[in-house]
Amino acid sequence: KITIILSTLNRINSVLTAISSVQNQSFTDYEFIIVDDGSTDGTDEILYNVAILDNRIKLFNNIVNIGLQKSLNFALSIAKGDYIARIDDDDYWLDEKKLEKQYNILEKHSEIVLIGTGYIKNNEQISNPTTDLDIRNQILFRCPFQHSTVMFKRVINGQEVRYKEKLKYAEDWELWLRIGQFGEFYNIVDKTTFI
């Protein structure tokens, strides 16, 4: 039902925490695609040891670094879930019901194409606007979604979702603007993620 995608590069000290927060989710019907983007610090060995113990994890290793956007698009190209959830290699999900909450809302409200949550950064609890109207009133001026909190439909308007690979920054913000043309936005007020 859900594909979780993570791209990592030389995050030997944090990537296991991110992975564990996924494995601790109450919602378990997922595949977890991890792309190691050419790590040289031993991250690849740690990922291999985790992947052999969890058959939901699909691990891929880039021989050379190709960048976040291309790595995410590769993961999207092989994803099978109806919904895509993102997590960065230095973040983790605090709320064990994060996926369950988002999945239930998306299943009940087919008009929603993208759903995020609140989050915690530097011990500060941060809220984003929750309703479609409030999100749209902000989205041209600031990004009202934190990347590691989002879940979105894998196919929107008959097209598989992809990031713009030429963008070095704000590839997520640009994607939200694009897919928002075909449905509604929503943010759960709960703080589910530590970044």
Side-chain angles (χ1 to χ4, degrees), residues 106-167:
L106 287 170
E107 284 288 284
K108 289 176 185 174
H109 299 278
S110 60
E111 69 277 9
I112 296 174
V113 292
L114 170 64
I115 182 171
T117 75
Y119 59 99
I120 297 174
K121 181 177 182 180
N122 300 325
N123 294 319
E124 179 184 354
Q125 298 201 19
I126 300 175
S127 299
N128 273 318
T130 56
T131 68
D132 183 66
L133 179 60
D134 288 343
I135 291 168
R136 289 180 189 277
N137 283 337
Q138 287 193 19
I139 198 166
L140 293 180
F141 308 102
R142 63 174 289 272
C143 185
F145 295 97
Q146 203 287 325
H147 209 172
S148 285
T149 74
V150 298
M151 186 182 292
F152 54 89
K153 291 183 176 180
R154 183 176 61 85
V155 177
I156 298 174
N157 195 38
Q159 297 291 315
E160 293 185 350
V161 172
R162 294 290 187 275
Y163 293 89
K164 285 276 172 73
E165 293 183 357
K166 292 181 179 179
L167 292 176

